Amino acid sequence: MAAGKYSFIIEQGATTNFQINWNDESGSAIDLSGYHARMQIRPNVDASDVFLSLSSSLKSDNTGINLSGSNFITPLASGSIGVYISAASSSALNFGEAFYDLELVKGNEVTRLLEGKVKLSKNVTR
């Protein structure tokens, strides 16, 4: 399965919180038990620099990828993946446009679920 295309905007200094639902070809939710997630935002696909790295090991401010949806309580069997970037984490970002992909890993199996561009909308009020 090829990665889906999805581009999004991070508003600098604000919370970014959205949910993706992973379903199989028949529309049934993929059970996320045993998976972990990872995502990196880079200046371009070949860059060694990383603007932001997210994983299912959430940071102290909950920045990361929650396999229990964006509300942090959805069952793993629902296939709900929450992407959360805190206001503090987004405040530290400084780029115009970048690229990302989101991968789900279970054992030796890696699925690139999404890829696309990320734009940073810079804040004025600080």
Side-chain angles (χ1 to χ4, degrees):
M1 169 173 97
K5 308 286 188 208
Y6 180 71
S7 295
F8 64 97
I9 296 171
I10 297 172
E11 293 181 333
Q12 188 181 45
T15 301
T16 299
N17 187 15
F18 62 91
Q19 182 168 296
I20 301 149
N21 294 308
W22 188 17
N23 298 315
D24 64 19
E25 295 80 24
S26 68
S28 298
I30 303 286
D31 187 339
L32 299 173
S33 299
Y35 280 91
H36 72 273
R38 59 191 185 197
M39 176 175 143
Q40 293 183 336
I41 300 174
R42 296 177 183 258
N44 60 61
V45 295
D46 297 320
S48 58
D49 293 343
V50 177
F51 291 138
L52 184 63
S53 185
L54 304 174
S55 75
S56 46
S57 296
L58 303 180
K59 297 178 182 175
S60 61
D61 64 358
N62 287 329
T63 292
I65 303 167
N66 193 327
L67 299 182
S68 295
S70 62
N71 64 5
F72 296 85
I73 60 170
T74 304
L76 291 171
S78 71
S80 298
I81 301 163
V83 176
Y84 184 90
I85 303 168
S86 72
S89 290
S90 72
S91 291
L93 297 174
N94 189 19
F95 62 88
E97 185 174 85
F99 296 84
Y100 83 97
D101 62 9
L102 170 65
E103 297 179 338
L104 277 288
V105 181
K106 186 174 187 179
N108 292 328
E109 179 182 321
V110 178
T111 302
R112 285 185 64 228
L113 193 60
L114 288 177
E115 65 182 17
K117 292 181 181 179
V118 180
K119 289 186 179 182
L120 182 66
S121 174
K122 299 205 176 166
N123 66 334
V124 175
T125 304
R126 296 184 269 288

